[in-house]
Amino acid sequence: MPASHLLLALAIVAVWGTNFVVIKVSLEAFPPFLFAALRYLFALLPIVFLMPRPKVSWGNLCIYGLATGVGQFGIMYFAIDGRISPGLASLVIQTQVFFTIGFAMFFARESLRLYQAVAVGVAMIGLLIIALHTDANTTFLGLALVVFSGFSWGVANTVSRRAGTINMLAYVVWASAFSIPPLVLMAYLFEGGWPSMGSSIASASVGAWAGVLWQSWANTLFGYAAWGWLLGKHPAAQVAPLALLVPVFGLGSSALLLGEPLQGWK
């Protein structure tokens, strides 16, 4: 992988890692499913009117939009909202590496080198250690929800690779249209209906809206478009493990800005 591509990957994981602090702060203003719906609404509008639909099937766009919007972020926001600490979530979400590599081996017949297999094994031991340290701040439910988010991210990675060589920014924008309706429905059913949703939107501070825009533009449009582009250029086993740098930024920024403790087991 060229150095320029590695630097791009580093920029992406830096944005993604520090983003967990933004998520935790923004959840003080917005309930999780509404927050996720707003994220994808601003990822979709108004850019969708400026970019033609990529040459990929509606089914592919739908699966990607549901996997990222609902399965990955909707569920992860719900978990971070009192069920798992943001720094630890940034670590557990990297189960996507296992799923992405596994899907690539199954669907694309990609091979796994010995050192990669050893690294995956070490990471799985780490997840077991996390599972043995659940408490009031990190519940087993929160852990399970974020693992499911990692599975959904793995699905999204696989689907985006099958889309082929396309404009990844347009792909992420158009796929966002499929994220919004189920997230709005989930917010309506589980977060108090229209009155509660309207009250959250009306009372949100400028900082909370800045968090939404950071989610939409930095994480969704830049992060996932660039990540999908890298996955289209290189084997999944080369790209996906780079996301394991996300916890370095996630745990570090959570400890520095939110006071999340860094115990020895972490």
mmCIF file of all heavy atoms in Angstrom, residues 214-245:
data_model
loop_
_atom_site.group_PDB
_atom_site.id
_atom_site.type_symbol
_atom_site.label_atom_id
_atom_site.label_comp_id
_atom_site.label_asym_id
_atom_site.label_seq_id
_atom_site.Cartn_x
_atom_site.Cartn_y
_atom_site.Cartn_z
ATOM 1 N N TRP A 214 -20.652 17.145 12.374
ATOM 2 C CA TRP A 214 -19.388 16.408 12.391
ATOM 3 C C TRP A 214 -19.634 14.942 12.025
ATOM 4 O O TRP A 214 -18.878 14.343 11.261
ATOM 5 C CB TRP A 214 -18.735 16.517 13.760
ATOM 6 C CG TRP A 214 -17.442 15.762 13.885
ATOM 7 C CD1 TRP A 214 -17.258 14.535 14.464
ATOM 8 C CD2 TRP A 214 -16.164 16.178 13.409
ATOM 9 N NE1 TRP A 214 -15.948 14.156 14.379
ATOM 10 C CE2 TRP A 214 -15.242 15.152 13.734
ATOM 11 C CE3 TRP A 214 -15.696 17.310 12.753
ATOM 12 C CZ2 TRP A 214 -13.892 15.224 13.416
ATOM 13 C CZ3 TRP A 214 -14.345 17.393 12.438
ATOM 14 C CH2 TRP A 214 -13.459 16.359 12.765
ATOM 15 N N GLN A 215 -20.718 14.382 12.582
ATOM 16 C CA GLN A 215 -21.084 13.012 12.236
ATOM 17 C C GLN A 215 -21.370 12.874 10.743
ATOM 18 O O GLN A 215 -20.948 11.919 10.092
ATOM 19 C CB GLN A 215 -22.337 12.599 13.014
ATOM 20 C CG GLN A 215 -22.195 12.558 14.504
ATOM 21 C CD GLN A 215 -21.341 11.409 14.965
ATOM 22 O OE1 GLN A 215 -21.644 10.257 14.722
ATOM 23 N NE2 GLN A 215 -20.234 11.723 15.597
ATOM 24 N N SER A 216 -22.101 13.841 10.202
ATOM 25 C CA SER A 216 -22.543 13.757 8.814
ATOM 26 C C SER A 216 -21.408 13.963 7.829
ATOM 27 O O SER A 216 -21.253 13.180 6.872
ATOM 28 C CB SER A 216 -23.639 14.802 8.545
ATOM 29 O OG SER A 216 -24.742 14.603 9.393
ATOM 30 N N TRP A 217 -20.616 15.001 8.043
ATOM 31 C CA TRP A 217 -19.638 15.407 7.025
ATOM 32 C C TRP A 217 -18.268 14.764 7.239
ATOM 33 O O TRP A 217 -17.698 14.199 6.306
ATOM 34 C CB TRP A 217 -19.519 16.922 6.996
ATOM 35 C CG TRP A 217 -20.795 17.595 6.597
ATOM 36 C CD1 TRP A 217 -21.872 17.013 5.965
ATOM 37 C CD2 TRP A 217 -21.160 18.962 6.811
ATOM 38 N NE1 TRP A 217 -22.885 17.924 5.779
ATOM 39 C CE2 TRP A 217 -22.476 19.133 6.283
ATOM 40 C CE3 TRP A 217 -20.532 20.048 7.384
ATOM 41 C CZ2 TRP A 217 -23.134 20.361 6.319
ATOM 42 C CZ3 TRP A 217 -21.189 21.277 7.426
ATOM 43 C CH2 TRP A 217 -22.473 21.419 6.887
ATOM 44 N N ALA A 218 -17.736 14.846 8.457
ATOM 45 C CA ALA A 218 -16.402 14.295 8.693
ATOM 46 C C ALA A 218 -16.427 12.770 8.710
ATOM 47 O O ALA A 218 -15.608 12.110 8.067
ATOM 48 C CB ALA A 218 -15.829 14.839 9.998
ATOM 49 N N ASN A 219 -17.375 12.189 9.455
ATOM 50 C CA ASN A 219 -17.401 10.742 9.608
ATOM 51 C C ASN A 219 -18.041 10.025 8.435
ATOM 52 O O ASN A 219 -17.487 9.071 7.904
ATOM 53 C CB ASN A 219 -18.149 10.372 10.898
ATOM 54 C CG ASN A 219 -17.306 10.603 12.118
ATOM 55 O OD1 ASN A 219 -16.577 9.732 12.537
ATOM 56 N ND2 ASN A 219 -17.387 11.801 12.686
ATOM 57 N N THR A 220 -19.223 10.483 8.028
ATOM 58 C CA THR A 220 -19.940 9.768 6.980
ATOM 59 C C THR A 220 -19.394 10.085 5.603
ATOM 60 O O THR A 220 -18.989 9.180 4.862
ATOM 61 C CB THR A 220 -21.444 10.106 7.041
ATOM 62 O OG1 THR A 220 -21.939 9.797 8.351
ATOM 63 C CG2 THR A 220 -22.219 9.287 6.016
ATOM 64 N N LEU A 221 -19.374 11.358 5.228
ATOM 65 C CA LEU A 221 -19.008 11.700 3.856
ATOM 66 C C LEU A 221 -17.513 11.512 3.603
ATOM 67 O O LEU A 221 -17.113 10.861 2.635
ATOM 68 C CB LEU A 221 -19.430 13.139 3.550
ATOM 69 C CG LEU A 221 -20.941 13.398 3.615
ATOM 70 C CD1 LEU A 221 -21.255 14.828 3.194
ATOM 71 C CD2 LEU A 221 -21.707 12.410 2.751
ATOM 72 N N PHE A 222 -16.675 12.077 4.473
ATOM 73 C CA PHE A 222 -15.239 11.889 4.279
ATOM 74 C C PHE A 222 -14.806 10.480 4.663
ATOM 75 O O PHE A 222 -14.201 9.751 3.865
ATOM 76 C CB PHE A 222 -14.443 12.905 5.096
ATOM 77 C CG PHE A 222 -12.977 12.546 5.230
ATOM 78 C CD1 PHE A 222 -12.135 12.593 4.128
ATOM 79 C CD2 PHE A 222 -12.460 12.130 6.454
ATOM 80 C CE1 PHE A 222 -10.793 12.230 4.241
ATOM 81 C CE2 PHE A 222 -11.122 11.775 6.579
ATOM 82 C CZ PHE A 222 -10.292 11.826 5.468
ATOM 83 N N GLY A 223 -15.128 10.068 5.890
ATOM 84 C CA GLY A 223 -14.606 8.819 6.414
ATOM 85 C C GLY A 223 -15.017 7.606 5.608
ATOM 86 O O GLY A 223 -14.172 6.824 5.159
ATOM 87 N N TYR A 224 -16.316 7.443 5.396
ATOM 88 C CA TYR A 224 -16.768 6.207 4.758
ATOM 89 C C TYR A 224 -16.580 6.220 3.247
ATOM 90 O O TYR A 224 -16.377 5.165 2.638
ATOM 91 C CB TYR A 224 -18.213 5.908 5.162
ATOM 92 C CG TYR A 224 -18.239 5.347 6.556
ATOM 93 C CD1 TYR A 224 -18.287 6.185 7.663
ATOM 94 C CD2 TYR A 224 -18.111 3.983 6.778
ATOM 95 C CE1 TYR A 224 -18.238 5.685 8.944
ATOM 96 C CE2 TYR A 224 -18.057 3.470 8.057
ATOM 97 C CZ TYR A 224 -18.127 4.321 9.139
ATOM 98 O OH TYR A 224 -18.058 3.819 10.416
ATOM 99 N N ALA A 225 -16.623 7.389 2.643
ATOM 100 C CA ALA A 225 -16.311 7.448 1.212
ATOM 101 C C ALA A 225 -14.845 7.097 0.966
ATOM 102 O O ALA A 225 -14.523 6.302 0.075
ATOM 103 C CB ALA A 225 -16.633 8.834 0.657
ATOM 104 N N ALA A 226 -13.945 7.665 1.772
ATOM 105 C CA ALA A 226 -12.523 7.380 1.607
ATOM 106 C C ALA A 226 -12.202 5.934 1.984
ATOM 107 O O ALA A 226 -11.379 5.275 1.332
ATOM 108 C CB ALA A 226 -11.695 8.347 2.457
ATOM 109 N N TRP A 227 -12.860 5.413 3.019
ATOM 110 C CA TRP A 227 -12.638 4.027 3.435
ATOM 111 C C TRP A 227 -13.091 3.053 2.339
ATOM 112 O O TRP A 227 -12.390 2.090 2.016
ATOM 113 C CB TRP A 227 -13.402 3.762 4.724
ATOM 114 C CG TRP A 227 -13.088 2.464 5.390
ATOM 115 C CD1 TRP A 227 -13.875 1.346 5.446
ATOM 116 C CD2 TRP A 227 -11.898 2.129 6.118
ATOM 117 N NE1 TRP A 227 -13.262 0.357 6.159
ATOM 118 C CE2 TRP A 227 -12.042 0.805 6.584
ATOM 119 C CE3 TRP A 227 -10.732 2.833 6.417
ATOM 120 C CZ2 TRP A 227 -11.058 0.169 7.333
ATOM 121 C CZ3 TRP A 227 -9.744 2.200 7.162
ATOM 122 C CH2 TRP A 227 -9.919 0.888 7.614
ATOM 123 N N GLY A 228 -14.258 3.322 1.772
ATOM 124 C CA GLY A 228 -14.738 2.483 0.687
ATOM 125 C C GLY A 228 -13.808 2.527 -0.514
ATOM 126 O O GLY A 228 -13.598 1.521 -1.196
ATOM 127 N N TRP A 229 -13.235 3.707 -0.768
ATOM 128 C CA TRP A 229 -12.279 3.842 -1.874
ATOM 129 C C TRP A 229 -11.044 2.990 -1.620
ATOM 130 O O TRP A 229 -10.562 2.295 -2.526
ATOM 131 C CB TRP A 229 -11.903 5.309 -2.033
ATOM 132 C CG TRP A 229 -10.955 5.579 -3.169
ATOM 133 C CD1 TRP A 229 -11.270 5.736 -4.487
ATOM 134 C CD2 TRP A 229 -9.527 5.721 -3.070
ATOM 135 N NE1 TRP A 229 -10.134 5.972 -5.231
ATOM 136 C CE2 TRP A 229 -9.048 5.966 -4.384
ATOM 137 C CE3 TRP A 229 -8.617 5.674 -2.023
ATOM 138 C CZ2 TRP A 229 -7.690 6.162 -4.658
ATOM 139 C CZ3 TRP A 229 -7.264 5.854 -2.291
ATOM 140 C CH2 TRP A 229 -6.819 6.102 -3.602
ATOM 141 N N LEU A 230 -10.536 3.006 -0.383
ATOM 142 C CA LEU A 230 -9.374 2.181 -0.039
ATOM 143 C C LEU A 230 -9.695 0.690 -0.167
ATOM 144 O O LEU A 230 -8.871 -0.097 -0.649
ATOM 145 C CB LEU A 230 -8.910 2.486 1.384
ATOM 146 C CG LEU A 230 -8.195 3.828 1.599
ATOM 147 C CD1 LEU A 230 -7.953 4.074 3.084
ATOM 148 C CD2 LEU A 230 -6.882 3.885 0.838
ATOM 149 N N LEU A 231 -10.895 0.289 0.254
ATOM 150 C CA LEU A 231 -11.281 -1.118 0.142
ATOM 151 C C LEU A 231 -11.383 -1.550 -1.316
ATOM 152 O O LEU A 231 -11.166 -2.724 -1.630
ATOM 153 C CB LEU A 231 -12.621 -1.354 0.847
ATOM 154 C CG LEU A 231 -12.580 -1.452 2.366
ATOM 155 C CD1 LEU A 231 -13.979 -1.411 2.940
ATOM 156 C CD2 LEU A 231 -11.863 -2.733 2.810
ATOM 157 N N GLY A 232 -11.712 -0.606 -2.187
ATOM 158 C CA GLY A 232 -11.783 -0.924 -3.605
ATOM 159 C C GLY A 232 -10.421 -1.030 -4.261
ATOM 160 O O GLY A 232 -10.299 -1.594 -5.353
ATOM 161 N N LYS A 233 -9.384 -0.489 -3.608
ATOM 162 C CA LYS A 233 -8.039 -0.475 -4.177
ATOM 163 C C LYS A 233 -7.147 -1.591 -3.645
ATOM 164 O O LYS A 233 -6.165 -1.961 -4.296
ATOM 165 C CB LYS A 233 -7.370 0.874 -3.882
ATOM 166 C CG LYS A 233 -8.024 2.079 -4.563
ATOM 167 C CD LYS A 233 -7.768 2.066 -6.063
ATOM 168 C CE LYS A 233 -8.314 3.332 -6.721
ATOM 169 N NZ LYS A 233 -8.096 3.324 -8.194
ATOM 170 N N HIS A 234 -7.465 -2.102 -2.446
ATOM 171 C CA HIS A 234 -6.560 -3.052 -1.792
ATOM 172 C C HIS A 234 -7.357 -4.209 -1.202
ATOM 173 O O HIS A 234 -8.548 -4.089 -0.936
ATOM 174 C CB HIS A 234 -5.769 -2.346 -0.679
ATOM 175 C CG HIS A 234 -5.021 -1.139 -1.144
ATOM 176 N ND1 HIS A 234 -3.837 -1.215 -1.839
ATOM 177 C CD2 HIS A 234 -5.294 0.197 -1.020
ATOM 178 C CE1 HIS A 234 -3.412 0.000 -2.129
ATOM 179 N NE2 HIS A 234 -4.271 0.878 -1.642
ATOM 180 N N PRO A 235 -6.707 -5.356 -0.950
ATOM 181 C CA PRO A 235 -7.388 -6.480 -0.302
ATOM 182 C C PRO A 235 -7.922 -6.097 1.073
ATOM 183 O O PRO A 235 -7.328 -5.280 1.783
ATOM 184 C CB PRO A 235 -6.270 -7.535 -0.182
ATOM 185 C CG PRO A 235 -5.294 -7.184 -1.252
ATOM 186 C CD PRO A 235 -5.324 -5.684 -1.348
ATOM 187 N N ALA A 236 -9.029 -6.707 1.445
ATOM 188 C CA ALA A 236 -9.663 -6.378 2.729
ATOM 189 C C ALA A 236 -8.726 -6.635 3.903
ATOM 190 O O ALA A 236 -8.747 -5.903 4.895
ATOM 191 C CB ALA A 236 -10.947 -7.183 2.896
ATOM 192 N N ALA A 237 -7.904 -7.677 3.806
ATOM 193 C CA ALA A 237 -6.995 -8.013 4.906
ATOM 194 C C ALA A 237 -5.900 -6.972 5.093
ATOM 195 O O ALA A 237 -5.239 -6.948 6.137
ATOM 196 C CB ALA A 237 -6.372 -9.392 4.677
ATOM 197 N N GLN A 238 -5.678 -6.106 4.091
ATOM 198 C CA GLN A 238 -4.724 -5.004 4.239
ATOM 199 C C GLN A 238 -5.391 -3.760 4.807
ATOM 200 O O GLN A 238 -4.797 -3.038 5.603
ATOM 201 C CB GLN A 238 -4.087 -4.661 2.892
ATOM 202 C CG GLN A 238 -3.037 -5.639 2.407
ATOM 203 C CD GLN A 238 -2.317 -5.139 1.162
ATOM 204 O OE1 GLN A 238 -2.450 -3.980 0.780
ATOM 205 N NE2 GLN A 238 -1.556 -6.019 0.533
ATOM 206 N N VAL A 239 -6.634 -3.511 4.399
ATOM 207 C CA VAL A 239 -7.314 -2.266 4.778
ATOM 208 C C VAL A 239 -8.001 -2.379 6.132
ATOM 209 O O VAL A 239 -7.812 -1.536 7.015
ATOM 210 C CB VAL A 239 -8.334 -1.851 3.697
ATOM 211 C CG1 VAL A 239 -9.071 -0.576 4.124
ATOM 212 C CG2 VAL A 239 -7.631 -1.647 2.365
ATOM 213 N N ALA A 240 -8.805 -3.416 6.318
ATOM 214 C CA ALA A 240 -9.634 -3.526 7.520
ATOM 215 C C ALA A 240 -8.832 -3.446 8.822
ATOM 216 O O ALA A 240 -9.258 -2.763 9.763
ATOM 217 C CB ALA A 240 -10.458 -4.812 7.463
ATOM 218 N N PRO A 241 -7.657 -4.118 8.945
ATOM 219 C CA PRO A 241 -6.922 -4.029 10.219
ATOM 220 C C PRO A 241 -6.441 -2.627 10.564
ATOM 221 O O PRO A 241 -6.164 -2.355 11.731
ATOM 222 C CB PRO A 241 -5.737 -4.982 10.003
ATOM 223 C CG PRO A 241 -6.216 -5.950 8.976
ATOM 224 C CD PRO A 241 -7.066 -5.131 8.052
ATOM 225 N N LEU A 242 -6.342 -1.721 9.573
ATOM 226 C CA LEU A 242 -5.914 -0.357 9.891
ATOM 227 C C LEU A 242 -6.906 0.329 10.821
ATOM 228 O O LEU A 242 -6.546 1.235 11.572
ATOM 229 C CB LEU A 242 -5.750 0.447 8.597
ATOM 230 C CG LEU A 242 -4.620 -0.013 7.666
ATOM 231 C CD1 LEU A 242 -4.668 0.738 6.345
ATOM 232 C CD2 LEU A 242 -3.264 0.170 8.331
ATOM 233 N N ALA A 243 -8.162 -0.123 10.788
ATOM 234 C CA ALA A 243 -9.169 0.451 11.681
ATOM 235 C C ALA A 243 -8.895 0.121 13.132
ATOM 236 O O ALA A 243 -9.482 0.726 14.039
ATOM 237 C CB ALA A 243 -10.565 -0.045 11.287
ATOM 238 N N LEU A 244 -7.996 -0.836 13.388
ATOM 239 C CA LEU A 244 -7.644 -1.151 14.773
ATOM 240 C C LEU A 244 -6.881 -0.013 15.444
ATOM 241 O O LEU A 244 -6.643 -0.044 16.650
ATOM 242 C CB LEU A 244 -6.826 -2.445 14.820
ATOM 243 C CG LEU A 244 -7.606 -3.703 14.424
ATOM 244 C CD1 LEU A 244 -6.684 -4.899 14.310
ATOM 245 C CD2 LEU A 244 -8.709 -3.985 15.437
ATOM 246 N N LEU A 245 -6.503 1.007 14.672
ATOM 247 C CA LEU A 245 -5.926 2.209 15.273
ATOM 248 C C LEU A 245 -7.007 3.113 15.869
ATOM 249 O O LEU A 245 -6.694 4.019 16.636
ATOM 250 C CB LEU A 245 -5.124 2.991 14.229
ATOM 251 C CG LEU A 245 -3.807 2.364 13.772
ATOM 252 C CD1 LEU A 245 -3.239 3.138 12.585
ATOM 253 C CD2 LEU A 245 -2.806 2.349 14.917
#
